[in-house]
Amino acid sequence: MKKIFFIAAAMLGVVSLSAQEKTTSSQFGVKSTVNMSSFNGDDVKDNDYKVGFSAGVYGHFPITDQFAVQPEVNFTRIGGKFKDDVTEVGNTTIKDKNKTTLDYIQVPIMFKYYPGASRFNIEAGPQFGYNVYASNKQETSVYANGTVNTISGKTDIKDNVKDFDFGVNFGLGYNVTDNINVGARYYMGLTKVGENTDNGTTAANDIKNHSFSLGVGYSF
């Protein structure tokens, strides 16, 4: 779970905290990230990570030499998967896989701090998300007598997922140049992913989004 931050530390390890010249003007840009996402919560068991991505636009607005605010609008694919469920009966092995995919339009509002007015930054801020797609893919494989038979299917679960998601981001970043920036970020969802059922009388399970991401942006 911490591997992505070890990679980020390696990327940022070459960065000195000494003050360097950087732009103090407002900028707009585009960004892309790769993420490892999963689920948190009291009702999450045997959970595993899945690879996703994000792409979007942002505005970077300096307030002082050391502080800036950066609102973003991103399309993000996250979700999670269950660890393989393996059942053995005699000479037959049955393996079940389940993977959930959730697509969001996300709007993070990041507050950035640049120590010593350097190019290095520490960031944190809230994030609002709107779900546009949700599906679950199930795959069952039966291994017997040296052969394997696999059955798979995808189910639309949009009606079972809340339209809105809310959480907070924490991250580290570095402006390689006035135009190119890199960063690592952790998102912690604070709202349940699922909708209440039976006309709202049955509470949804305690399952929340969370993800680690590495990204690069280009400012104009």
Side-chain angles (χ1 to χ4, degrees):
M1 188 171 79
K2 297 181 180 179
K3 289 182 179 179
I4 196 161
F5 272 111
F6 292 149
I7 296 173
M11 291 173 58
L12 298 173
V14 297
V15 178
S16 170
L17 293 182
S18 60
Q20 303 176 51
E21 292 294 328
K22 74 176 191 303
T23 182
T24 56
S25 61
S26 298
Q27 294 178 306
F28 295 91
V30 295
K31 63 178 295 185
S32 179
T33 68
V34 60
N35 65 59
M36 294 288 289
S37 62
S38 187
F39 299 116
N40 272 335
D42 293 339
D43 295 317
V44 176
K45 298 178 181 179
D46 296 325
N47 200 33
D48 208 348
Y49 287 85
K50 71 182 293 290
V51 177
F53 67 92
S54 175
V57 297
Y58 63 86
H60 185 270
F61 306 105
I63 301 172
T64 68
D65 287 346
Q66 298 186 46
F67 293 94
V69 61
Q70 180 170 301
E72 306 174 5
V73 179
N74 303 313
F75 172 83
T76 304
R77 172 161 288 182
I78 55 176
K81 59 184 180 180
F82 295 101
K83 292 182 179 179
D84 294 350
D85 182 18
V86 179
T87 304
E88 295 187 0
V89 180
N91 295 325
T92 301
T93 299
I94 303 173
K95 182 181 293 186
D96 288 313
K97 298 181 179 182
N98 274 281
K99 180 171 66 176
T100 300
T101 298
L102 304 174
D103 290 348
Y104 288 93
I105 301 297
Q106 294 179 332
V107 181
I109 302 174
M110 306 304 297
F111 297 92
K112 292 176 173 282
Y113 170 59
Y114 292 85
S118 68
R119 291 181 179 271
F120 174 79
N121 69 80
I122 302 168
E123 63 175 6
Q127 177 172 288
F128 307 87
Y130 180 77
N131 181 259
V132 295
Y133 173 78
S135 70
N136 186 77
K137 182 178 181 181
Q138 183 177 21
E139 181 179 287
T140 300
S141 298
V142 179
Y143 301 83
N145 300 320
T147 63
V148 56
N149 293 310
T150 300
I151 300 175
S152 63
K154 183 182 291 186
T155 303
D156 187 324
I157 58 171
K158 179 69 174 67
D159 291 341
N160 299 324
V161 174
K162 284 184 178 179
D163 288 337
F164 293 97
D165 183 56
F166 174 76
V168 292
N169 285 305
F170 305 93
L172 302 173
Y174 182 66
N175 294 352
V176 181
T177 70
D178 283 349
N179 301 104
I180 300 173
N181 59 84
V182 296
R185 190 176 289 179
Y186 170 66
Y187 172 66
M188 178 175 65
L190 299 177
T191 58
K192 294 180 181 180
V193 172
E195 284 279 16
N196 294 342
T197 58
D198 299 328
N199 295 322
T201 59
T202 302
N205 289 335
D206 184 15
I207 298 174
K208 304 179 181 72
N209 288 311
H210 81 127
S211 66
F212 300 89
S213 62
L214 287 174
V216 60
Y218 185 84
S219 300
F220 301 98

